[in-house]
Structures are given as C-alpha cells and as structure tokens.
Amino acid sequence: MTALLAALLAGSAMAGCTPEETDDGRGPDDGTGADSVLAVKIDNASRARPHTGIDAADIVYAEQVEGGLSRLMAVYATKFPKAIGPVRSARESDLELLRQFDEPTLAFSGAQGKLLPLIDKAPLKAAPPESDSKAYYRGTDRSAPHNLYLRPERLMKSAPGADALTTGFEYGALPAGGKAEASHTVRFPSARFTFTWSQSRDRWLVSMDGRPAETTDGPRMAAATVVVQYVKIRKSRFKDFLGNNTPYTETVGSGTATVLRDGRAFDADWSRPSAEDGTRFTTQDGEPLPFARGQVWVVYAKA
C-alpha cells in the first residue's frame, strides 16, 4: 500500500504518465465487476472544454473548488460512453458524497498528498492511472493536465444498471405547483452555470461561464432535471500546491433546494441523515418531489 501511495503522489505532481491512445491493452485486473457505479472526476477549467462523455452520465455533480472555480463529478450506471474526460484530481468532500453508493469505482488523476490515505481507507475502488494505466490515455488536441481521458470499458466490464443509483432520488410525473421558469443561473465566486429550458428538446440546456456547454461526441449538454442544492461550504483540512484552501461541500444534513424540471422551478427541502443514505427531496408540504426521467444535474450552491 505504501508503494501505491507513493505512485499516486508522483502521478499527482507530474500530471500523470499514461499510455498513448494507440495502446489497446486492458487494465491489470481486466476490469472490475458490474455491481457499482463509476464516478469520474472531470476537469472544468475553460481549457478543459469541450468535454467528452458527460452526455452519457446518469448524474452530474458540480462543486466549488479552489479559487471559486468549479469541477464536475459524472456518475455512470446505465451506460458507458467510449471515453470520458478530461479526468482530474479528487477532493475530500467526494468521499462523503460517494458513501451513498455501494463501493463505487472512483476514476481520478491524483489528489493532495495528505488526502491519499483517506481515499485508500474509503469504501470505494480507487482507480487512478497509476493503478489502471491501460484504461487511460492522453489526448493530442490540448496540453496536460487537461488532456487525460478514461476508457470506462477497460476499467469495468459493464455498466451496473439503474439499481446501483442509490441516491434517494425519485422519478415520476410532473407534480402540481412550481412556477414557470425559462432560465436559471447559479454563481460560484469564479464560475457560473446557466440552465435554459428548451421546449423542443424537453431538456435544460447547459451553459458554463456564459457559453454553451458543448461536447466532443454529441449535442449540447442538456439535463432532464436540475437540482440547485443549498449546502454549507467550509474550509477543508487541505490546500492545493499554491497554498489555496480546498473548499469542503457538506452533503450530509438538511436544507433547501430549487428543483428545475419541465420548464418549471419548485421550492424543495433536502435531507440526507448520514453519509450512507441517499438524498431525499420533498415539497414544502413534505411530499416526495419526483424528478423527470433522464440525466440529473446537482449543483452545490452555498447556503
């Protein structure tokens, strides 16, 4: 285990040494089982866009990181795209967020040195390039560290299926209430997300930092349901290599949220009693608030 941590530290400091895209081998264990979700930490700096493979995710989490910027975590259960990325480093609050899943696989490219032992002890399968090198490659269209991509089918034998999404989310018909809303913007200190309702696509079109969020392998990013979840964001125990404190997003507890679906906005309450629980969203009358079927975006905004 000491050797693994040393390799991870080296990979984090050197932005990773991964095989070229032409390498067609499989990972060392020839893929994990198909009983857990795949979570991938994804770069969201401007130089990392357009993204690859996010349109295939079941859930996309958007969190605040150092300097008020944003990073994404895409969760896959029902299908895998050919490639996902760019892949970037993990954060402490990811470990709490992922406890709701049954031993998920976490794909990431390194982490702050003092965080690595916590990742090692967490109930998940850590899958950085250093342990599953055949599943990763460096793209040639942009410079490191914004060019690391994952081939998910080399990491896991198959997608586990919808039953692995133990998030507490409920899906169903449009509930009564809410208010018509054409566009909704969430602002971080140095980033922003805008979701614009498209009647023709029956989806919320995603924009980041004022620009349409395109993908390299499909149409513009679009969500069936968007959750703006108001949470406590505090300082973590860790800093980045520049000395900036890493924010910690608390996803256990309770609070308020805005849920966007079908061109309407609903005031909601959220509750997650423990890290092992999923998050339940209810109306202000206490009734379950169902989501539209399709991709869900959860944006963690400061309460």
Side-chain angles (χ1 to χ4, degrees):
M1 192 58 66
T2 301
L4 174 60
L5 292 180
L8 286 172
L9 280 166
S12 178
M14 298 174 63
C17 296
T18 58
E20 295 297 323
E21 188 170 2
T22 54
D23 187 344
D24 291 325
R26 291 189 63 89
D29 63 356
D30 208 22
T32 66
D35 54 354
S36 65
V37 300
L38 170 64
V40 185
K41 285 309 299 285
I42 296 178
D43 193 351
N44 200 31
S46 59
R47 288 176 290 176
R49 304 170 189 162
H51 297 91
T52 297
I54 291 185
D55 48 320
D58 295 282
I59 306 168
V60 179
Y61 293 100
E63 63 179 343
Q64 182 179 322
V65 293
E66 299 84 6
L69 297 171
S70 64
R71 188 156 292 180
L72 307 177
M73 179 190 287
V75 175
Y76 300 83
T78 58
K79 60 182 177 181
F80 288 156
K82 290 183 179 180
I84 304 169
V87 180
R88 286 300 298 272
S89 55
R91 296 295 186 274
E92 183 186 9
S93 51
D94 299 335
L95 305 183
E96 179 178 277
L97 177 61
L98 289 173
R99 288 285 294 277
Q100 64 191 298
F101 301 108
D102 183 17
E103 295 188 358
T105 296
L106 174 61
F108 65 103
S109 61
Q112 206 273 357
K114 294 180 181 179
L115 176 59
L116 292 172
L118 299 184
I119 295 176
D120 183 57
K121 294 176 183 178
L124 54 79
K125 180 186 184 301
E130 293 74 23
S131 64
D132 293 276
S133 62
K134 298 294 185 180
Y136 291 86
Y137 68 92
R138 289 279 178 191
T140 58
D141 61 337
R142 61 190 73 171
S143 60
H146 310 291
N147 64 348
L148 180 64
Y149 294 87
L150 171 73
R151 298 184 183 95
E153 290 185 349
R154 294 189 182 181
L155 191 62
M156 298 174 64
K157 293 178 181 178
S158 61
D163 288 346
L165 293 170
T166 52
T167 56
F169 299 170
E170 296 190 27
Y171 298 84
L174 178 68
K179 62 179 181 180
E181 187 150 346
S183 182
H184 193 97
T185 296
V186 184
R187 290 179 171 83
F188 290 2
S190 302
R192 73 181 189 275
F193 297 88
T194 299
F195 303 92
T196 304
W197 177 246
S198 169
Q199 191 70 39
S200 62
R201 289 189 60 183
D202 197 30
R203 290 290 185 271
W204 295 91
L205 304 182
V206 183
S207 296
M208 299 179 185
D209 303 327
R211 296 184 178 182
E214 308 288 352
T215 62
T216 60
D217 50 352
R220 183 174 173 182
M221 292 185 200
T225 303
V226 177
V227 179
V228 183
Q229 186 174 341
Y230 297 101
V231 297
K232 183 178 180 180
I233 301 176
R234 58 171 172 81
K235 292 182 178 180
S236 76
R237 292 172 286 173
F238 306 109
K239 296 180 180 180
D240 67 9
F241 69 97
L242 295 175
N244 297 313
N245 185 269
T246 299
Y248 188 102
T249 299
E250 295 189 2
T251 58
V252 171
S254 60
T256 62
T258 299
V259 175
L260 309 175
R261 60 162 296 178
D262 298 279
R264 302 190 71 80
F266 295 83
D267 293 329
D269 295 314
W270 68 269
S271 176
R272 186 183 178 199
S274 72
E276 291 74 19
D277 295 315
T279 306
R280 295 184 67 248
F281 292 89
T282 57
T283 67
Q284 292 184 321
D285 294 330
E287 296 296 321
L289 181 54
F291 295 173
R293 297 196 178 277
Q295 187 178 82
V296 177
W297 276 62
V298 180
V299 182
Y300 291 118
K302 188 173 183 179

